[in-house]
Amino acid sequence: MKKHARVVVIGGGIAGCSTLYHLTQEGWSDVVLVERNDLTSGTTWHSAAQVTNFGMNQTMVGLKTHSINLYKELANDPAHPINYNHADGGIRLANTEQQMQGYRHFASMARGMGVDFEVIDAKECKRRHPLISTDNLAGGLWDPLDGDIDPYQLCHSLTRRARQAGAEVYTDTPVTALEQYKDGTWKVITEHGDIDCNIIVNACGYRVNEVGAMMGVHHPVASMEHQYFLTEDIPEIVDAGHRMPLLRCPISDYYCRQDKNGLLIGFYEQNCKTWGMDGIDPNFVNALCPDDLERVADVLDGAFERMPALMNAGIRSIINGPITYTIDGAPLVGKIPGKENAFCIIGLRAGLGEGGGHGWLLAQQIVHGEACYDTWCIDPRRFTSHTNVEMTSLKAIEDYQNEFRFHFPHEHRPAARPAKTTSLTAVMASEKASFTVINGWERVEYFKPSKDFQPSLSFHFDETFDIVAREVSNVRDNVGLCEVNGFNRFEITGLDSERFIDRLFCGNITHKPGRVGLGYLLNDFGMVKSEATIANIPASDRGPNRMWYGSAAASEFHDMDWLSQHINPDENVKIKSLTNDQTTLIVAGPKAREVISACSREDWSKEAFPWLSVRECFIGFSAATVMSVSFSGELAYEVHVPNSSLYAAYLSLSEVGKEYGMKLFGSRAVESMRMEKGFLAWKSDLLTEFDPFETGLDRFVNLNKDNFIGKADLEKRFKHGPNQKLVCLSIDCNHAPAHAGASLMEDGKVIGTITSGEWGHRVNVNLAYAFVNPDKSEIGNKMMLDLLGEMIPSEVIPLGPYDNSYSRILA
Ligand SMILES: Cc1cc2nc3c(=O)[nH]c(=O)nc-3n(C[C@H](O)[C@H](O)[C@H](O)COP(=O)(O)OP(=O)(O)OC[C@H]3O[C@@H](n4cnc5c(N)ncnc54)[C@H](O)[C@@H]3O)c2cc1C
């Protein structure tokens, strides 16, 4: 066994094998895989191994397409072909118009990734899958490339190729401990000796937390028992003369594919069961959980009704094995938060379909620091410190129970809530707030007209439309108050803090105490990494002059990782997170100045405290840091207060606010207003796939600065010109917003992709942001939006159509 390697991948299931293979594809050959038993002896060996293109966003579709292309290539390897039933086709069934709407959206989204789904009616479903009945069936989504693969052959094929490229694989080699050296490199201790390495990868399937514990990490991954059975031959299949397409059913929660001349049917029962919560038997290897078909009785009936031929089929064998889930259904693929040189590829619940793609994106991240797609949807840092064992299990159960039921826009499922609250959560609830969840925080979406108000789940505008419109109009005409909890904020101190921040941002940062600025951080390739507000807080009796860094609510671990890793060893810089210590109250609207003035002794006049100012003061009895910044396009103040006096600050503001018609508003109103004002949202419109010029952030870039992270590559990109441009669109449709991922079309070709869409209540326009081909980005350009299957005329309009002169913010 080697004593040193560049990377050690721990775990030889599909996740580890794919990572190893792709590391060699990226040019790293000094890589090894260590496996405690045999390759595939965890979950992989008994997988139903269906391989589909279907995904909830473009990154997921793109990585699945990579799996399919790779598997096809491996299957056609003349020396070592593997069994891959490629392109049998598959149908996701639906029995409601709302589900069909969703499928139409997913078809529009996938088209932008070169994937052609088809939305078909019930009759066509039956024509393509003759075994099904059309009772209670609206139709389905057809994936022409659906199929299934032999998981054992797949993993051996990947490792064979990796070995040919120089990688080594050690089976029967359990990792028993991990130690990190002072320089950040690792010692991997195994039963057969130690390997020193630069980077480790946890790919340990359901044993993820055994290996996590070896490095002092708990990963939000839980295992569920999951069953399928295989039938004897079914005469209708024998007679059909062609392979049956796959089926996935959100109505009765099962999937089904052909296996030999019978069927394989797997179930997602409501009465489901977590597994391995109290530790896993070390001898559970190539093993299964006891059969328990009783548990799936509820969903079995639905499968019988849909496929009557099943009722006469004998059961050949039953498989019940552990399958891993995270708290939002997507896996954790990327850097382990807070750990240097440590990555993971875990929580895969559809690892055979996705594993090829996840290993590909992970290897790119390890070798280059970034992947070709924005990987936030699978980034382990998207969850922060609240994801304990209980939350993970409850979310895993909920996700398992809803396996094929996609989330509708604004659908927030109830399990494991609330996790993060403030002293205002109960106050807002008593005001009939409807809450969304942002990184565990219960954040107000809007205020319901009645306690039991429940809007329908739909891709169309729903019953909240007028409610949000009223909240917006009160902000426009009077003044509104909004609690924004979980906003990420760091205090950056130390002699070199300004120099450090200057290097991180691609534009100028404010060096003047008392001023605030917005800026952008790029990755090494000159692409947009983060967006942050920098406030230069003057020295006061609360502390010395210091820099305050504020960014999106979910970015705490992500930004902390990025910032910490860029402090040079000789720099005196300290970063302290205040994310969980403070909450923001936004006071926005033409009467905001009156409200703030009445709560505090300071001079809030335009002259004394102009736009983009910051000061420390008191709001009522609460110490506060107030900034004159606006996401709404109205005169506004962000009041950042310690959580200990949040309620007090709220009482002061709301008491005074009564006189000015102040009303509460929520994040849906904010979303509408920020789109009207041309402001962008992190990980919706601000993505690592685009540089700041493509994203329309030219005014935030200063290429004359001595240096900043990503500058060299950005200069090259600037010379080359943009590949895509962000634009604002007006959508000629009154019944539905443009959904993220939807395709913009011209002459049957995709020319752009929506990133955000919302009705602009003040300008009365259905607004969207999109990245489009640069030659289509001129104001006035017209194109068609594939909106839920309908072709809707859309036109490029100026970004920020509301109050173009900023007269309201500057009032
Ligand atoms: C019944 C069932 C049906 C499924 N059907 C499908 C399907 O149709 N399509 C699909 O895409 N997915 C399906 N899945 C899910 C899929 O099988 C998994 O997502 C995938 O196999 C997970 O692979 P993995 O590499 O992450 O984990 P595993 O296969 O569990 O691999 C982890 C490896 O790590 C090793 N390991 C653990 N600890 C150590 C250690 N200390 N030292 C060294 N090695 C260690 C283990 O021995 C194991 O080999 C199904 C799962 C089940 C249970």
Side-chain angles (χ1 to χ4, degrees):
M1 212 165 83
K2 274 186 164 186
K3 289 269 165 248
H4 186 275
R6 199 164 187 183
V7 182
V8 172
V9 178
I10 310 168
I14 179 61
C17 296
S18 172
T19 304
L20 188 79
Y21 165 76
H22 284 100
L23 283 169
T24 63
Q25 291 292 296
E26 295 297 331
W28 284 16
S29 52
D30 182 17
V31 292
V32 306
L33 184 151
V34 282
E35 161 56 48
R36 77 196 286 276
N37 307 105
D38 295 326
L39 294 183
T40 76
S41 60
T43 289
T44 298
W45 72 275
H46 59 70
S47 178
Q50 298 155 108
V51 179
T52 168
N53 247 324
F54 182 81
M56 304 297 294
N57 55 51
Q58 290 202 326
T59 296
M60 292 304 280
V61 172
L63 70 88
K64 290 180 188 205
T65 300
H66 176 81
S67 289
I68 290 175
N69 292 338
L70 170 64
Y71 298 173
K72 213 168 121 195
E73 188 199 320
L74 298 176
N76 293 335
D77 183 336
H80 303 282
I82 62 173
N83 292 328
Y84 176 27
N85 294 311
H86 170 65
D88 288 341
I91 312 173
R92 261 158 221 272
L93 302 174
N95 66 338
T96 67
E97 175 47 29
Q98 283 78 5
Q99 284 165 338
M100 293 295 280
Q101 273 176 13
Y103 290 161
R104 288 186 195 106
H105 168 63
F106 295 125
S108 170
M109 182 262 290
R111 188 165 303 130
M113 298 303 285
V115 170
D116 281 323
F117 291 148
E118 212 183 320
V119 180
I120 54 178
D121 64 16
K123 212 165 123 207
E124 188 58 20
C125 291
K126 167 97 184 153
R127 197 186 66 75
R128 297 185 190 194
H129 197 308
L131 259 54
I132 62 169
S133 89
T134 54
D135 294 349
N136 185 30
L137 188 64
L141 182 76
W142 173 257
D143 172 3
L145 298 185
D146 227 326
D148 66 271
I149 195 157
D150 182 317
Y152 178 87
Q153 291 182 354
L154 171 61
C155 289
H156 281 269
S157 179
L158 289 167
T159 48
R160 185 185 307 114
R161 286 192 172 202
R163 277 196 185 109
Q164 282 164 359
E168 297 196 7
V169 176
Y170 308 126
T171 53
D172 288 315
T173 306
V175 171
T176 52
L178 294 167
E179 285 173 12
Q180 190 159 27
Y181 294 107
K182 279 210 173 93
D183 67 356
T185 61
W186 291 89
K187 181 199 273 196
V188 178
I189 299 164
T190 82
E191 282 189 6
H192 301 309
D194 306 342
I195 313 176
D196 283 344
C197 64
N198 298 39
I199 292 168
I200 49 170
V201 177
N202 182 346
C204 288
Y206 51 76
R207 294 191 190 275
V208 49
N209 276 313
E210 291 177 7
V211 174
M214 295 177 199
M215 57 174 116
V217 172
H218 174 78
H219 296 283
V221 175
S223 297
M224 304 292 299
E225 284 190 22
H226 175 50
Q227 293 184 88
Y228 65 76
F229 65 69
L230 297 149
T231 72
E232 306 282 5
D233 286 2
I234 294 178
E236 288 87 337
I237 293 183
V238 178
D239 296 344
H242 63 85
R243 282 184 64 83
M244 289 293 145
L246 290 83
L247 282 185
R248 294 181 185 82
C249 179
I251 313 156
S252 302
D253 308 294
Y254 63 86
Y255 56 81
C256 174
R257 69 163 171 86
Q258 184 167 337
D259 188 81
K260 302 200 170 89
N261 280 323
L263 291 174
L264 177 157
I265 308 191
F267 302 95
Y268 293 98
E269 67 283 5
Q270 294 302 300
N271 180 23
C272 55
K273 206 171 156 192
T274 53
W275 180 86
M277 297 293 294
D278 301 318
I280 300 167
D281 180 349
N283 299 315
F284 191 90
V285 177
N286 273 318
L288 293 172
C289 314
D291 306 344
D292 186 2
L293 278 192
E294 275 292 296
R295 220 176 52 229
V296 303
D298 56 338
V299 279
L300 197 51
D301 283 349
F304 283 155
E305 277 164 28
R306 184 64 65 213
M307 279 174 296
L310 253 188
M311 273 189 272
N312 304 320
I315 292 179
R316 185 155 53 88
S317 62
I318 302 171
I319 299 287
N320 185 13
I323 186 167
T324 52
Y325 279 79
T326 65
I327 74 165
D328 66 358
L332 304 169
V333 181
K335 197 176 174 310
I336 297 175
K339 287 279 157 194
E340 218 182 328
N341 300 325
F343 292 80
C344 60
I345 174 164
I346 51 176
L348 274 66
R349 76 182 210 280
L352 270 299
E354 298 175 7
H358 286 308
W360 177 54
L361 295 183
L362 181 62
Q364 290 176 39
Q365 292 183 61
I366 293 172
V367 173
H368 310 294
E370 201 82 71
C372 57
Y373 302 134
D374 191 295
T375 48
W376 182 242
C377 62
I378 51 173
D379 194 316
R381 295 167 297 190
R382 68 191 187 276
F383 308 124
T384 56
S385 44
H386 59 291
T387 51
N388 66 354
V389 174
E390 285 71 23
M391 163 170 284
T392 308
S393 323
L394 290 169
K395 285 312 253 187
I397 291 168
E398 183 182 62
D399 210 51
Y400 183 94
Q401 290 170 328
N402 288 286
E403 174 70 29
F404 295 132
R405 296 189 205 120
F406 51 79
H407 275 83
F408 280 87
H410 309 299
E411 180 183 4
H412 314 295
R413 293 185 177 156
R417 293 176 61 186
K420 292 182 184 170
T421 56
T422 69
S423 53
L424 289 190
T425 309
V427 177
M428 296 293 166
S430 72
E431 297 286 347
K432 303 196 277 289
S434 170
F435 293 95
T436 175
V437 183
I438 310 276
N439 186 28
W441 290 95
E442 294 289 327
R443 190 178 285 178
V444 176
E445 251 199 319
Y446 58 89
F447 291 86
K448 299 182 281 188
S450 63
K451 214 167 141 248
D452 29 353
F453 173 80
Q454 187 64 54
S456 15
L457 293 177
S458 171
F459 280 78
H460 286 181
F461 290 121
D462 61 23
E463 300 83 346
T464 58
F465 188 89
D466 291 338
I467 298 170
V468 174
R470 280 195 293 275
E471 290 182 9
V472 169
S473 64
N474 193 60
V475 173
R476 180 195 59 202
D477 300 337
N478 294 307
V479 55
L481 180 64
C482 176
E483 183 202 28
V484 182
N485 49 26
F487 191 75
N488 181 47
R489 47 174 87 66
F490 301 144
E491 198 175 78
I492 306 178
T493 52
L495 289 177
D496 301 310
S497 55
E498 288 199 25
R499 186 158 62 105
F500 164 70
I501 293 174
D502 207 45
R503 196 170 65 241
L504 289 174
F505 284 81
C506 63
N508 299 332
I509 59 148
T510 176
H511 293 279
K512 214 168 146 199
R515 298 298 290 160
V516 182
L518 184 68
Y520 292 85
L521 297 83
L522 311 185
N523 65 18
D524 295 330
F525 305 103
M527 312 303 260
V528 177
K529 184 88 179 160
S530 266
E531 177 195 58
T533 300
I534 288 287
N536 194 325
I537 301 181
S540 74
D541 55 359
R542 291 190 204 157
N545 177 214
R546 57 211 183 277
M547 301 301 270
W548 181 100
Y549 173 107
S551 57
S555 68
E556 183 186 359
F557 282 7
H558 173 276
D559 284 13
M560 184 60 102
D561 254 359
W562 186 251
L563 265 58
S564 329
Q565 86 191 48
H566 285 96
I567 303 175
N568 292 336
D570 61 343
E571 274 179 332
N572 177 348
V573 175
K574 287 194 185 55
I575 307 171
K576 182 176 154 198
S577 175
L578 300 176
T579 302
N580 297 314
D581 300 341
Q582 296 185 359
T583 296
T584 312
L585 293 171
I586 294 174
V587 184
K591 297 178 187 162
R593 181 171 288 124
E594 280 91 327
V595 173
I596 287 280
S597 300
C599 294
S600 136
R601 301 181 73 88
E602 321 296 318
D603 178 357
W604 297 96
S605 65
K606 186 157 99 175
E607 295 70 31
F609 197 71
W611 187 44
L612 300 180
S613 298
V614 57
R615 71 161 49 126
E616 290 180 313
C617 60
F618 279 88
I619 294 293
F621 308 121
S622 173
T625 307
V626 179
M627 296 175 207
S628 48
V629 293
S630 172
F631 206 41
S632 59
E634 305 293 342
L635 174 71
Y637 300 93
E638 273 187 10
V639 181
H640 299 262
V641 288
N643 285 336
S644 55
S645 51
L646 174 63
Y647 182 55
Y650 167 79
L651 284 183
S652 303
L653 291 166
S654 45
E655 193 54 38
V656 166
K658 278 183 201 154
E659 198 183 316
Y660 300 97
M662 188 161 83
K663 288 194 184 135
L664 296 167
F665 66 102
S667 60
R668 294 280 295 281
V670 174
E671 180 66 7
S672 165
M673 292 189 281
R674 70 105 186 163
M675 290 209 58
E676 290 177 302
K677 199 65 204 118
F679 296 145
L680 309 180
W682 189 62
K683 295 304 176 194
S684 297
D685 320 304
L686 299 167
L687 302 165
T688 55
E689 289 169 40
F690 304 100
D691 69 37
F693 297 120
E694 292 172 322
T695 314
L697 301 171
D698 308 39
R699 68 186 190 283
F700 295 98
V701 182
N702 177 6
L703 283 178
N704 295 323
K705 257 175 90 167
D706 273 357
N707 202 12
F708 57 82
I709 295 163
K711 183 179 173 194
D713 278 39
L714 186 63
E715 279 173 332
K716 283 186 217 144
R717 295 185 66 86
F718 182 63
K719 280 192 196 122
H720 171 271
N723 295 323
Q724 298 257 286
K725 282 292 275 179
L726 184 116
V727 295
C728 183
L729 294 164
S730 105
I731 312 292
D732 188 9
C733 169
N734 288 333
H735 61 265
H739 296 283
S743 289
L744 289 154
M745 313 287 298
E746 194 181 80
D747 299 331
K749 289 203 187 88
V750 177
I751 56 155
T753 303
I754 299 290
T755 56
S756 295
E758 192 53 87
W759 190 271
H761 289 282
R762 292 171 299 190
V763 294
N764 219 17
V765 175
N766 195 355
L767 294 169
Y769 293 156
F771 280 97
V772 299
N773 295 347
D775 60 329
K776 311 291 174 199
S777 63
E778 292 297 311
I779 308 284
N781 244 320
K782 294 187 172 52
M783 56 197 79
M784 303 303 269
L785 169 65
D786 178 351
L787 179 57
L788 310 175
E790 267 184 273
M791 287 298 160
I792 304 286
S794 311
E795 183 177 335
V796 179
I797 60 168
L799 194 73
Y802 181 67
D803 185 28
N804 212 261
S805 64
Y806 275 59
S807 64
R808 297 181 70 90
I809 288 184
L810 296 170

